[in-house]
Amino acid sequence: MAQLQRLVITASQIDRQQIVLTAEQQHYLSRVLRLRSGDQFIAMNGQGQGWLAALESDRAQILEPIHAHSELSISVTLVLALPKGNGFDDVVRQATELGVTCIAPVISDRTLLNPSANKLERWRRIAQEAAEQCERQIVPEILDPVSWNDCLQIESSDSDICRLICLARGNSPHLLNYLNKSVCPSITLAIGTEGGWTDAEIEGAIAAGYQPISLGRRILRAVTAPIVALSLVAGVLERMKNEE
Amino acid sequence: MAQLQRLVITASQIDRQQIVLTAEQQHYLSRVLRLRSGDQFIAMNGQGQGWLAALESDRAQILEPIHAHSELSISVTLVLALPKGNGFDDVVRQATELGVTCIAPVISDRTLLNPSANKLERWRRIAQEAAEQCERQIVPEILDPVSWNDCLQIESSDSDICRLICLARGNSPHLLNYLNKSVCPSITLAIGTEGGWTDAEIEGAIAAGYQPISLGRRILRAVTAPIVALSLVAGVLERMKNEE
């Protein structure tokens, strides 16, 4: 069943045992994927539920629920200072592949440009497509961008989160050491822009409960650091499952 | 010293305590980086040695050797089935950031195109630039592409290497579990194209001593999988150093 095509639908599209397809979804299934009437695909609501479905012109028949397990066992939020250029597209795509739950873009002191509403719309579409491709049940949420200070205030209200800020230089403990020694009910990872965080931003984060950590001895680009951090988080969570 | 600009030179450019700069290097230092006579930069030979140097018109004075430690403690080779499009550029750049020693592009059954000589030249330039940026002492070697079968024959002559082939589906042990349980004098990681390895390719690898491993429960794209694998390898090697 793994090789079946996937499509994200909204809850309001479900009418008893049928899915009412939008014109765009009909086009995608019939013209792009070339499915015919009766062909099966997987419909996901993007929030953890999925169904095996069979195409029937402008609708699809729900055949059975699907129980898949490709999600991480805890919630992982990526707080990311917006990098320059189109780097964020790749980060959203790859972070989705690595199981991220939520991406919070922040405007830091070294962010060059505020993103347009079009960009946000684009990142949400990329997250949805990547979730379909990598066979996840959840589509990561992309929050509206806020300033770093606002982000620290929103975040600090929940004391159950392990909050980590990745620093390129200095002698912070390695993320893998931290993960091996800690039990985290959920994780927030904050990663800076090309120029790194400013001293004031790092001080603000530590005051708000963030622990500084290292991703290794080389200087990673802003688009690489989040993928490295999420690889280690997903690796530690899934290594444990793999051993059971 | 970490923020100084870096430049890769060849051994033949060193004349006693001076570096004879090429016209291209002079242009890069003076026009692109806007260094003036007397300004310092780091010259690296790309094979582990580096020097603090001061610009002097068409030459640079070597001031002192530099002892940096941003390399992994063992040799890590990435054997990568060539993906479609320009995906390989990003993989070369990010794998260099993660400390890879050697990248061996292979032509697999699902490779669409053989790369041109221009492409190889381009990948070698990307590796050099990325090594400068991320402050490595070694520029990874990019081998000429060979077929998967030829690669297996070359590789199998050395019995000291831990050889791992990453599979997207099935129940292979997680790479992190393997790394935590194994002592590897060096590692070779083989990663397939978008379509994955064919059954015959996997059988050939196992016969040649490759161990099948998993990178987690989601289906990673061909450009993401090598970065995830190298993040885990570098993480395990550097976590140990970080604890010392």
Side-chain angles (χ1 to χ4, degrees), chain A residues 2-3 69-72 90 93-94 96-99 133-136 169 171-174 176-177 180-181 214-225 227-229 231-232 234-236 238-243, chain B residues 2-3 69-72 90 93-94 96-99 133-136 169 171-174 176-177 180-181 214-225 227-229 231-232 234-236 238-243:
Chain A
Q3 273 77 354
H69 305 280
S70 59
E71 294 298 328
L72 300 181
D90 286 335
R93 195 175 288 114
Q94 293 189 300
T96 301
E97 289 176 67
L98 284 162
Q133 276 191 1
C134 73
E135 305 184 3
R136 287 187 62 177
R169 301 186 189 277
N171 288 309
S172 309
H174 195 288
L176 209 43
N177 286 337
N180 283 336
K181 288 173 184 168
S214 161
L215 298 176
R217 288 154 173 260
R218 289 158 305 283
I219 304 299
L220 303 175
R221 285 177 310 137
V223 294
T224 307
I227 310 314
V228 173
S231 295
L232 297 175
V236 168
E238 300 196 311
R239 171 200 71 190
M240 294 171 185
K241 276 203 173 174
N242 192 257
E243 268 180 342
Chain B
Q3 274 77 356
H69 304 282
S70 59
E71 292 298 328
L72 300 181
D90 287 334
R93 194 176 289 113
Q94 295 190 299
T96 301
E97 290 176 68
L98 285 163
Q133 277 192 1
C134 74
E135 304 184 3
R136 288 187 60 176
R169 301 187 189 276
N171 288 309
S172 310
H174 195 287
L176 208 45
N177 286 338
N180 282 336
K181 288 176 185 166
S214 162
L215 298 175
R217 287 156 174 261
R218 288 159 305 286
I219 303 301
L220 303 174
R221 284 176 310 137
V223 293
T224 306
I227 311 314
V228 174
S231 296
L232 296 175
V236 168
E238 300 196 312
R239 171 200 71 189
M240 294 171 184
K241 278 202 172 175
N242 191 261
E243 269 178 344

Side-chain angles (χ1 to χ4, degrees), chain B residues 128-144:
Chain B
Q128 179 176 317
E129 288 169 0
E132 289 169 359
Q133 277 192 1
C134 74
E135 304 184 3
R136 288 187 60 176
Q137 291 82 53
I138 294 175
V139 177
E141 187 179 10
I142 316 276
L143 303 183
D144 289 329

Side-chain angles (χ1 to χ4, degrees), chain A residues 49-71:
Chain A
Q49 288 179 288
W51 302 270
L52 183 65
L55 184 61
E56 285 180 6
S57 69
D58 63 341
R59 297 185 163 227
Q61 188 71 32
I62 291 178
L63 303 177
E64 60 184 72
I66 285 181
H67 305 286
H69 305 280
S70 59
E71 294 298 328

Side-chain angles (χ1 to χ4, degrees), chain B residues 12-232:
Chain B
S12 65
Q13 289 184 257
I14 298 180
D15 177 17
R16 278 155 298 182
Q17 279 304 93
Q18 293 202 313
I19 299 162
V20 183
L21 298 167
T22 66
E24 196 185 352
Q25 288 167 341
Q26 288 172 46
H27 174 85
Y28 178 68
L29 292 170
S30 306
R31 303 283 165 173
V32 182
L33 300 183
R34 299 184 175 277
L35 299 192
R36 293 173 180 200
S37 186
D39 282 351
Q40 297 184 0
F41 65 96
I42 293 173
M44 310 147 51
N45 70 357
Q47 293 165 352
Q49 287 179 291
W51 301 271
L52 184 65
L55 184 62
E56 286 179 7
S57 67
D58 63 340
R59 293 183 165 231
Q61 188 70 32
I62 290 177
L63 303 177
E64 59 184 75
I66 286 182
H67 304 287
H69 304 282
S70 59
E71 292 298 328
L72 300 181
S73 54
I74 65 170
S75 167
V76 178
T77 295
L78 186 62
V79 173
L80 200 70
L82 284 160
K84 60 186 174 189
N86 289 322
F88 212 73
D89 289 9
D90 287 334
V91 172
V92 169
R93 194 176 289 113
Q94 295 190 299
T96 301
E97 290 176 68
L98 285 163
V100 77
T101 318
C102 174
I103 299 178
V106 298
I107 317 291
S108 75
D109 290 348
R110 289 183 178 145
T111 295
L112 297 179
L113 278 178
N114 280 17
S116 64
N118 279 347
K119 282 267 187 186
L120 263 172
E121 188 53 44
R122 176 178 167 77
W123 296 332
R124 287 172 180 148
R125 200 171 59 241
I126 289 173
Q128 179 176 317
E129 288 169 0
E132 289 169 359
Q133 277 192 1
C134 74
E135 304 184 3
R136 288 187 60 176
Q137 291 82 53
I138 294 175
V139 177
E141 187 179 10
I142 316 276
L143 303 183
D144 289 329
V146 294
S147 75
W148 178 231
N149 283 336
D150 286 350
C151 176
L152 289 179
Q153 281 170 6
I154 300 165
E155 280 273 311
S156 65
S157 58
D158 186 342
S159 62
D160 256 4
I161 305 170
C162 291
R163 287 183 189 82
L164 306 171
I165 183 167
C166 302
L167 304 186
R169 301 187 189 276
N171 288 309
S172 310
H174 195 287
L175 173 58
L176 208 45
N177 286 338
Y178 176 89
L179 295 171
N180 282 336
K181 288 176 185 166
S182 311
V183 177
C184 295
S186 67
I187 294 180
T188 293
L189 284 161
I191 294 176
T193 57
E194 295 295 337
W197 301 102
T198 62
D199 288 346
E201 286 171 336
I202 297 170
E203 283 162 23
I206 292 171
Y210 274 83
Q211 153 90 39
I213 53 121
S214 162
L215 298 175
R217 287 156 174 261
R218 288 159 305 286
I219 303 301
L220 303 174
R221 284 176 310 137
V223 293
T224 306
I227 311 314
V228 174
L230 290 172
S231 296
L232 296 175

